[in-house]
Amino acid sequence: MTMTPSRRRGAALAATLLSAAIVLTACGGDSADTEEAAPAETRSVTADNGTVTVPAAPQRVVTIGNTTLPLIDMGGKPVGVTEVGASEIDLIPADQKATYEAATSLGSSGDQVDMEKLAGLKPDLILAQLPDSEFEQIEKQLTSIAPTVFWGLDVEWKALAGGLSEAGNVTAGLTDQRAKFEAKIAKIKETYGKLIGDTSFVNVDRWESSDPGTFSVADFGCVEIAQDDIGMDFPKAAAGADPLGWTSLPFEQIAGLSKYDVITYPVDAAGKPKKSFAPVVETNTWKALPAVTSGRALGVFCPGNNSYGPVLQYLDSLDAALASLPAKE
Amino acid sequence: MPGPRRRLLGLVAALLVLLALLVLSVMIGSTAIRPSVVWDALFHPSADIDQFAIRDYRLPRTVVGLVVGVALGLSGALIQALTRNPLADPGILGVHAGASFAVTVAVGVLGVRDIRGYMWFAFAGALIVTLMALALGSTRHGRSPVAMVLAGVCVGAVLGGAREALQLTNPDAFDAMRSWNAGSIVGRPLDLVWPILPFLVVALVLALAVSGPLNAMALGDELAAAQGVRLAHTRVLAIIALTLLAGGATAIAGPISFVGLMVPHVARWIAGPHQRWIFAYSVLLAPILLLASDILGRFVMHPREIPVGVVTAFVGAPVLIALVRRKKASGL
């Protein structure tokens, strides 16, 4: 197509006006935009994806995977979250539940994050705890949106809580919680030291996803605190082997729990067997166990084990359970 | 074709194998329990902890294995006779898809987590979807098996997609359904079986009633009609019977697809083309396969157990391939 001189002039005029409009628009930003462009204060945090430069005081934090509840527990207020199971949400305090519900839901799990929605939130920090393989798939997209701090699933809960508080700038809440935790551990060790030394424990569990007619000898979750921090003797998987709790055992094997002095099992906040565990306590085999008939099966409440708040609730429950233990015959 | 005497002897042998497996299923398990304790548990019951393991777990799973096996074997024989398709299994009419979709709705949307609750959804889902296939497969010229199968496959595909969409948006529901989807007879108490049993008995009677007409229909619709067989009537009764059988079995144990496909083949090789004999053999051979697979599944990954639906596929597929290579594939 050819252009006449007058059309050419018109096109040149239009191009000039458009360019001017773009330049004026760019220059016409308000003072807030100018302030945003200024470099914010930053610091470095180290996690499983290396050393990451994050804002010193992040304002718009997004949590993915298992980082949501621990951050909220320490006083953080994420703007976006991946969903947490209803059974877990039911166990947290009302104010924390409100914080969770106020955040934008970004997907059902860490590997189902809606990236468009996430980018739309304009986060200044992303905190994620996921399986390594899932993080590898989304790492580039996340880091292109905001500084991203990642932990794998094998990180110890105290390290995760410390890392989250540092990255999310919620260290004030952590210091107080940590002091309470250490005091509680010391009290339990002092009060029940001899009993703990003389007793073999086993922790059993069952989840919503467990196959009907099966249970597990659980060696992960709150029981790790009882084992590692207090020194209680629970069965543990051999080094390098899968956790015992990953193996679903048929109810027929409940009788095998007879060899332990004390059984711990999960209860809700009211002290009743957790809904998913109720089928176990209803079996005749459970009712006939020596530990059960002698009052040495202890219901323990574990609202979570990824941050100090729920862990402190667990320790209170464990303390009360140990106090109720009848003397060994 | 084997004579009646050989067929009868084969049937007696199958019955003896089944009886042996029933005993074995109660005697052995993932926990070592002495035979004397097993005996006492059955005939001198007490509150001994090991006796509970026999009465509360091994005995129910053995009964469930027997009932589910009988239902799956007979429903497989019925669908293959009805469609004259040796590759048909009850799932082809949408039984499994209907049951799975209904269970997904129950678990994922309505929050039903107990098998006592979602079992009824599975049963209703299987029945409704099969009736839909029956209605969609009905034409002005009557009910054609091909049209019904196509309708079943289509409805199954749609519901399969809807089920996957529901499960993807609700991973908790997917987790909760994992074992049911794999097909298992663990953790199914007897009170799960009793309400379904009357439906299975009715289906068994219907199956016996249509075995003669189905024999005639194997020769072709025209010849069967000439012999006085009411084609549409027979097909409807056969579909009701196989839906009750497969729907009941699926409700209790989850979708176990391979048994209904494989067992009627083996029955046909042993007994020849006569439907009554095929039905009788299927009723015995299917629980044999199911119970043997279940017993095997208790040990191969001890202390954990493998769902019977997984083992039947592992055991059944090579056996079927071996039989196909040794014998001429059975046509219908």
Side-chain angles (χ1 to χ4, degrees):
Chain A
M1 192 177 77
T2 55
M3 290 176 105
T4 62
S6 62
R7 272 193 181 171
R8 225 179 270 136
R9 274 197 299 276
L13 182 63
T16 307
L17 286 172
L18 186 63
S19 303
I22 290 169
V23 170
L24 285 171
T25 307
C27 296
D30 58 20
S31 59
D33 286 344
T34 313
E35 278 168 22
E36 269 182 20
E41 195 182 337
T42 60
R43 57 203 162 76
S44 296
V45 291
T46 303
D48 286 0
N49 60 333
T51 300
V52 183
T53 302
V54 300
Q59 300 299 308
R60 298 185 64 77
V61 181
V62 161
T63 51
I64 293 173
N66 300 333
T67 55
T68 301
L69 294 189
L71 186 78
I72 292 176
D73 178 50
M74 289 182 279
K77 296 191 188 309
V79 294
V81 296
T82 50
E83 286 169 23
V84 177
S87 56
E88 288 179 80
I89 292 297
D90 286 346
L91 299 176
I92 64 176
D95 59 330
Q96 294 185 18
K97 194 174 176 182
T99 302
Y100 168 78
E101 285 168 351
T104 302
S105 173
L106 298 169
S108 58
S109 60
D111 59 342
Q112 302 281 329
V113 177
D114 183 335
M115 291 295 170
E116 203 176 327
K117 215 181 207 181
L118 171 56
L121 287 175
K122 299 190 187 315
D124 55 3
L125 177 64
I126 299 172
L127 303 171
Q129 190 191 27
L130 303 166
D132 289 13
S133 57
E134 288 180 16
F135 180 67
E136 281 164 18
Q137 288 173 23
I138 57 173
E139 182 176 7
K140 277 187 183 167
Q141 289 167 285
L142 294 180
T143 50
S144 70
I145 295 169
T148 302
V149 188
F150 161 74
W151 295 268
L153 293 187
D154 52 359
V155 67
E156 204 238 347
W157 72 273
K158 281 180 252 179
L160 177 69
L164 278 173
S165 73
E166 189 190 353
N169 193 31
V170 285
T171 48
L174 181 75
T175 309
D176 179 45
Q177 287 180 329
R178 191 183 280 155
K180 283 182 183 164
F181 170 80
E182 279 161 9
K184 190 76 192 178
I185 292 285
K187 189 220 161 197
I188 291 176
K189 276 180 164 176
E190 189 187 327
T191 311
Y192 309 106
K194 185 168 184 323
L195 183 150
I196 288 169
D198 294 344
T199 305
S200 64
F201 294 87
V202 62
N203 182 60
V204 289
D205 210 333
R206 194 171 181 281
W207 299 275
E208 294 280 4
S209 60
S210 296
D211 300 342
T214 64
F215 74 106
S216 292
V217 170
D219 55 347
F220 51 73
C222 288
V223 69
E224 290 174 83
I225 296 154
Q227 192 163 40
D228 300 338
D229 292 280
I230 301 175
M232 293 167 74
D233 175 23
F234 284 96
K236 197 173 186 180
D242 286 342
L244 299 175
W246 287 10
T247 301
S248 292
L249 304 171
F251 279 177
E252 185 179 321
Q253 293 185 30
I254 291 174
L257 303 176
S258 299
K259 63 184 175 193
Y260 298 100
D261 297 326
V262 172
I263 301 171
T264 59
Y265 65 94
V267 294
D268 60 20
K272 288 182 182 165
K274 201 174 69 173
K275 200 175 169 189
S276 56
F277 192 77
V280 177
V281 301
E282 286 163 7
T283 64
N284 289 316
T285 322
W286 173 269
K287 290 172 190 164
L289 283 169
V292 175
T293 55
S294 64
R296 302 171 76 82
L298 308 177
V300 184
F301 177 53
C302 169
N305 68 314
N306 257 352
S307 59
Y308 286 94
V311 165
L312 284 167
Q313 285 180 275
Y314 166 71
L315 290 176
D316 285 342
S317 174
L318 182 66
D319 186 4
L322 290 172
S324 73
L325 206 55
K328 203 171 178 179
E329 288 170 11
Chain B
M1 195 172 73
R5 188 182 159 78
R6 277 188 64 191
R7 284 188 200 139
L8 193 63
L9 278 175
L11 210 58
V12 172
L15 184 63
L16 291 176
V17 172
L18 178 58
L19 288 174
L21 281 169
L22 288 170
V23 173
L24 211 58
S25 175
V26 177
M27 294 289 286
I28 61 174
S30 59
T31 307
I33 298 176
R34 291 193 314 276
S36 60
V37 176
V38 177
W39 179 265
D40 287 344
L42 298 175
F43 301 106
H44 309 289
S46 72
D48 178 78
I49 195 163
D50 284 337
Q51 287 199 18
F52 287 127
I54 303 298
R55 286 197 299 270
D56 292 357
Y57 314 122
R58 288 196 198 165
L59 195 60
R61 81 190 279 178
T62 302
V63 173
V64 169
L66 175 70
V67 170
V68 169
V70 167
L72 287 177
L74 192 53
S75 64
L78 273 166
I79 187 72
Q80 290 185 8
L82 183 72
T83 58
R84 285 179 288 211
N85 177 356
L87 292 176
D89 87 340
I92 208 165
L93 284 179
V95 173
H96 293 164
S100 296
F101 178 74
V103 170
T104 306
V105 170
V107 173
V109 180
L110 304 176
V112 181
R113 284 291 194 268
D114 192 283
I115 190 166
R116 285 183 178 85
Y118 61 70
M119 177 187 82
W120 290 107
F121 282 87
F123 195 44
L127 297 187
I128 291 168
V129 170
T130 313
L131 290 176
M132 277 170 69
L134 186 65
L136 290 170
S138 300
T139 63
R140 280 178 301 167
H141 310 294
R143 292 185 182 91
S144 136
V146 175
M148 280 188 287
V149 167
L150 278 174
V153 169
C154 291
V155 174
V158 171
L159 289 181
R163 173 178 55 83
E164 282 183 19
L166 271 174
Q167 289 183 352
L168 276 174
T169 55
N170 190 339
D172 286 350
F174 179 75
D175 270 351
M177 286 185 61
R178 203 183 45 210
S179 142
W180 187 84
N181 272 333
S184 173
I185 57 173
V186 178
R188 272 71 172 169
L190 285 178
D191 60 8
L192 219 64
V193 177
W194 303 140
I196 296 282
L197 206 54
F199 295 101
L200 300 183
V201 172
V202 169
L204 201 68
V205 173
L206 286 176
L208 284 176
V210 297
S211 60
L214 283 174
N215 245 352
M217 285 164 68
L219 302 170
D221 285 358
E222 288 80 10
L223 272 174
Q227 288 177 28
V229 172
R230 293 154 67 195
L231 298 177
H233 181 76
T234 303
R235 282 183 185 131
V236 169
L237 289 184
I239 285 173
I240 291 171
L242 81 89
T243 307
L244 290 176
L245 289 165
T250 307
I252 297 169
I256 301 176
S257 53
F258 204 71
V259 178
L261 171 69
M262 173 189 164
V263 166
H265 272 285
V266 179
R268 209 172 298 114
W269 281 323
I270 298 171
H274 198 287
Q275 292 303 337
R276 278 210 177 112
W277 284 103
I278 293 172
F279 286 6
Y281 269 97
S282 296
V283 160
L284 294 177
L285 294 178
I288 286 176
L289 173 62
L290 207 70
L291 287 171
S293 300
D294 183 48
I295 292 168
L296 194 64
R298 299 176 199 182
F299 298 103
V300 284
M301 287 183 73
H302 191 268
R304 78 175 65 188
E305 297 189 350
I306 303 178
V308 69
V310 177
V311 185
T312 50
F314 268 104
V315 172
V319 171
L320 186 61
I321 290 168
L323 286 171
V324 167
R325 288 175 63 83
R326 282 184 57 206
K327 297 186 175 240
K328 192 181 164 194
S330 60
L332 283 164

